[in-house]
Amino acid sequence: MMWPSIALLTFVTLQRLGELVLAQRNTAALRARGAREVAPEHYPMMVALHAAWIIGLWLLAPGRPVEPFWLAIFMGLQALRLWVLATLKDRWTTRIVILPGVPLVSSGPYRFLRHPNYVVVVGEIAILPLTFGLPGYATVFSLFNAAILHVRVKAENAALKSAMILK
């Protein structure tokens, strides 16, 4: 039965495309308020990684059974993603954009984690392939994602410190 895997892949693909539109809109609005982007050089690699991850899943996952246990965890990650988006509102973007003089958000999931959105992404990169029974795929993309996030989190934390937003 192909429809469960196709439905899940369609959901994730549309979600990612919608997020790109939202991120572009929010980034433009933040820049209009005086924000600046930091460390943009890694962004194309991050987009390429996520695109390759989704394309690869479209090639490998259709027709594979959807594992209910992993699907439940993946859906839990979606709830956390919505919590992050609702908390950040117009400050959420896929780029590192610093708005000087504006304090960090410290409500919602940010009360518990400095980078909850990255926790969601790390989980999704691993869990969605596991949902389709693809542990090797999950491992390979998790390693690539870890490398990009290492660069990204380091750059973001440095930018926040230099803007005197993060102590």
Side-chain angles (χ1 to χ4, degrees):
M1 195 161 29
M2 288 184 78
W3 74 264
S5 56
I6 298 290
L8 184 53
L9 288 170
T10 300
F11 167 76
V12 172
T13 302
L14 292 175
Q15 178 189 55
R16 288 298 197 274
L17 292 173
E19 286 173 356
L20 285 175
V21 170
L22 176 63
Q24 287 175 344
R25 185 176 69 217
N26 288 349
T27 298
L30 287 165
R31 284 183 176 146
R33 292 174 51 198
R36 61 183 170 80
E37 183 175 359
V38 177
E41 57 279 351
H42 78 277
Y43 188 74
M45 289 182 289
M46 189 178 76
V47 171
L49 172 77
H50 283 258
W53 176 74
I54 290 175
I55 291 166
L57 287 172
W58 272 104
L59 294 172
L60 298 172
R64 296 183 69 93
V66 173
E67 300 291 332
F69 172 78
W70 293 115
L71 178 60
I73 294 173
F74 182 78
M75 296 315 289
L77 289 169
Q78 300 317 296
L80 181 54
R81 172 183 296 287
L82 289 174
W83 193 19
V84 167
L85 290 168
T87 301
L88 289 179
K89 298 178 180 97
D90 61 349
R91 290 175 63 180
W92 182 88
T93 181
T94 55
R95 296 178 178 270
I96 301 173
V97 178
I98 305 297
L99 191 56
V102 177
L104 284 177
V105 172
S106 59
S107 60
Y110 292 87
R111 287 178 293 177
F112 310 107
L113 298 166
R114 181 174 287 173
H115 299 290
N117 196 63
Y118 299 152
V119 171
V120 171
V121 172
V122 165
E124 288 175 330
I125 294 283
I127 300 301
L128 189 59
L130 293 175
T131 302
F132 298 117
L134 299 168
Y137 194 89
T139 301
V140 168
F141 275 91
S142 290
L143 291 172
F144 286 133
N145 187 51
I148 289 177
L149 280 181
H150 174 75
V151 170
R152 184 175 178 88
V153 170
K154 186 175 174 182
E156 186 170 333
N157 285 341
L160 291 170
K161 282 182 184 175
S162 73
M164 299 180 55
I165 297 171
L166 183 63
K167 303 210 178 352

